[in-house]
Amino acid sequence: MKKHDTPMLDQLQDGPWPSFISGIKRLRDEHPEQRINEMTNDLLGQLQHSYETRKGYWKGGTLSVYGYGGGIIPRFSEVGDKFPKSREFHTLRIQPPAGNFYSTDILRRFADDWEKYGSGLVTFHGQTGNIMFIGADSESTQGFFDEVNEYGWDLGGAGPCVRTGMSCVGSARCEQSCCNEHKIHRLLMNNFTDDVHRPALPYKFKFKVSGCPNDCVNSIERADFAVIGTWRDDMKVEQEEVKAAVAKKGRKYIIDNVITRCPTKALSLNDDDTLDVDNRNCVRCMHCLNVMPKALSPGDDKGITLLVGGKRTLKIGDLFGTVVVPFMKLDTEEDYEGLVELAENMIDFFAENALEHERTGEMIERIGLVNFLEGVGIEVDPNMLDHPRTCSYVRMDSWDEEAEKWFARKQAAG
Ligand code: SF4
């Protein structure tokens, strides 16, 4: 095998960071299988050619496995004559487990199977949340899918459909967790499996679940339906731990790094080194809890906040999710069913009302939040905020009837 010269790619190996070029070269130079050496050699050749000519040469197409309408990203090379071994270089998206928990056995099995059918290149995980198995020809795609499907794995979403869900590592390893992230993730994804595999929506729809407002899976920025764990009573303060932290770091350090960094000035350090929290003003930014995890922790009355419409730039600029359910308890099976039902209503509404290639957030901007809320059957609430502390997204000042209903509900709830 004659190796392609790759002077421009070689430069990407300079510097302190790991380089994807080094990874591909390892497969080219060290992998025992000649098929993989040749495939990755031609892949590097095409990439170098792209850099030289400043053009991309991959084109899409239609490719799937039996019974599915999505989940494969087809890539056919336009310069396949020059680089025949990587002429077809498709990506398979495989859904990760909730919280991304894998056993080493499974990881080995994936790696072995992928080397049998594909190029050996894998990404854990792409921004979509999927495991990306990159580089199989059309024929091997079905073979690899059959193999992994046999031991319980499924394709993720691609195209205008419900996309692969993501959830953070959650209560298994994180003390800030306020909900059962993995159960929520599993229930939502299992309920919408058909909508993942058969693209039939105006555009993509993403579920992401974070266990606390640290939002480790970026749900507020990326998800059409973001579930974020939170609490509504007072945060828990271990005063002895606060004193220990002050003794260790000094008052100045705690004041400079915790007290003054609270965005709503809800914290004060007393003369005896105990801490007072003005819980009504805490906006759950998580800063103090992150800095002093032994001393501070979420309260006991835990639940979730639901936001819709987060997305990156598309027709309009980046949008954060808007709070549509400020607090929801998830204690009983009925509570979970209620959440899934709400998701169903939202997807139905989205399917019927969004324009082609329009995300939920853009649809809401176009038709107005109030119409969206009416359409999915959620009563308006002044706590539905777009920007915390700056403006209420649902203004009710000229909307007497809704305001009266809301006050009546509040009174009834005590
Ligand atoms: Fe302040 Fe944020 Fe701590 Fe709440 S979580 S008290 S807003 S620093």
Side-chain angles (χ1 to χ4, degrees):
M1 176 185 85
K2 185 183 172 313
K3 287 185 198 173
H4 296 290
D5 284 336
T6 55
M8 294 173 90
L9 302 186
D10 297 347
Q11 290 180 22
L12 298 176
Q13 292 177 281
D14 292 346
W17 304 108
S19 162
F20 71 103
I21 297 297
S22 310
I24 303 177
K25 280 187 181 170
R26 253 198 321 275
L27 287 169
R28 180 192 67 182
D29 300 335
E30 294 169 27
H31 198 278
E33 230 186 282
Q34 193 184 348
R35 181 184 59 81
I36 288 185
N37 308 143
E38 290 174 349
M39 216 174 170
T40 43
N41 183 40
D42 274 5
L43 175 71
L44 288 166
Q46 174 167 334
L47 195 54
Q48 169 69 27
H49 182 58
S50 268
Y51 278 35
E52 281 165 7
T53 54
R54 299 186 178 207
K55 270 176 78 177
Y57 294 98
W58 295 115
K59 60 179 178 357
T62 313
L63 184 74
S64 199
V65 294
Y66 291 117
Y68 284 66
I72 315 272
I73 319 291
R75 285 292 174 263
F76 296 94
S77 172
E78 287 177 325
V79 283
D81 293 349
K82 275 192 183 160
F83 308 103
K85 300 291 180 188
S86 60
R87 177 190 293 272
E88 293 172 354
F89 215 80
H90 314 309
T91 293
L92 282 99
R93 287 184 172 171
I94 298 287
Q95 291 192 46
N100 295 339
F101 285 94
Y102 298 94
S103 66
T104 44
D105 272 356
I106 277 295
L107 292 174
R108 287 207 180 86
R109 209 160 165 186
F110 273 147
D112 290 347
D113 283 339
W114 185 234
E115 286 178 2
K116 195 155 95 196
Y117 291 97
S119 71
L121 282 173
V122 192
T123 307
F124 282 91
H125 302 86
Q127 180 59 46
T128 60
N130 295 283
I131 320 167
M132 310 288 271
F133 290 93
I134 307 166
D137 60 24
S138 305
E139 208 186 315
S140 311
T141 305
Q142 181 76 47
F144 179 70
F145 169 71
D146 288 345
E147 197 109 15
V148 298
N149 193 233
E150 185 66 30
Y151 50 88
W153 298 77
D154 203 359
L155 286 185
C161 61
V162 172
R163 293 294 187 87
T164 299
M166 279 177 85
S167 51
C168 65
V169 70
S171 46
R173 302 205 56 195
C174 175
E175 67 272 36
Q176 315 285 26
S177 167
C178 296
C179 61
N180 188 340
E181 310 79 6
H182 305 157
K183 180 169 180 174
I184 299 169
H185 179 162
R186 182 172 55 80
L187 285 176
L188 288 169
M189 292 319 293
N190 283 0
N191 190 69
F192 293 104
T193 295
D194 273 358
D195 301 275
V196 174
H197 298 317
R198 286 164 202 93
L201 297 177
Y203 199 31
K204 59 180 116 166
F205 191 98
K206 297 184 180 183
F207 290 109
K208 292 188 197 288
V209 187
S210 281
C212 80
N214 275 322
D215 196 10
C216 291
V217 292
N218 304 336
S219 65
I220 195 168
E221 292 148 25
R222 302 274 172 152
D224 299 272
F225 189 97
V227 182
I228 302 182
T230 187
W231 68 97
R232 67 179 165 185
D233 55 346
D234 295 351
M235 79 166 74
K236 291 193 273 192
V237 185
E238 289 287 341
Q239 296 294 2
E240 288 311 310
E241 291 292 348
V242 177
K243 286 183 189 168
V246 176
K248 191 167 169 214
K249 302 271 190 182
R251 277 183 72 85
K252 183 170 175 358
Y253 180 92
I254 299 293
I255 290 170
D256 288 352
N257 291 283
V258 185
I259 311 294
T260 56
R261 300 232 171 142
C262 171
T264 54
K265 301 190 171 42
L267 298 172
S268 48
L269 190 62
N270 300 317
D271 291 344
D272 62 355
D273 293 346
T274 56
L275 186 78
D276 281 344
V277 184
D278 175 6
N279 280 284
R280 275 183 62 78
N281 274 313
C282 167
V283 288
R284 316 292 191 260
C285 81
M286 296 301 286
H287 176 74
C288 63
L289 292 98
N290 291 337
V291 182
M292 301 172 77
K294 284 188 184 164
L296 303 174
S297 42
D300 289 320
D301 193 5
K302 292 172 176 165
I304 57 145
T305 294
L306 194 65
L307 302 96
V308 295
K311 58 170 244 353
R312 287 287 342 251
T313 313
L314 192 66
K315 287 190 171 64
I316 52 179
D318 295 15
L319 289 177
F320 271 14
T322 298
V323 173
V324 295
V325 178
F327 189 82
M328 181 192 266
K329 289 294 275 182
L330 285 182
D331 291 339
T332 62
E333 288 310 313
E334 285 81 56
D335 295 338
Y336 284 100
E337 278 166 24
L339 181 72
V340 173
E341 207 175 298
L342 198 52
E344 280 172 1
N345 292 346
M346 284 190 197
I347 290 186
D348 286 350
F349 188 87
F350 174 62
E352 277 166 29
N353 293 285
L355 302 176
E356 209 176 308
H357 224 252
E358 184 178 58
R359 291 285 294 271
T360 322
E362 290 160 336
M363 175 190 72
I364 293 172
E365 286 272 314
R366 181 170 54 78
I367 65 172
L369 181 64
V370 173
N371 292 324
F372 172 74
L373 293 172
E374 254 174 45
V376 298
I378 298 179
E379 288 202 56
V380 292
D381 188 312
N383 294 312
M384 292 168 178
L385 297 185
D386 188 23
H387 304 289
R389 302 242 149 195
T390 51
C391 72
S392 173
Y393 198 53
V394 179
R395 292 185 64 103
M396 300 204 301
D397 41 6
S398 61
W399 199 6
D400 298 343
E401 205 185 310
E402 285 301 334
E404 270 165 27
K405 269 199 268 173
W406 186 77
F407 281 118
R409 268 205 321 277
K410 229 178 137 80
Q411 265 169 359

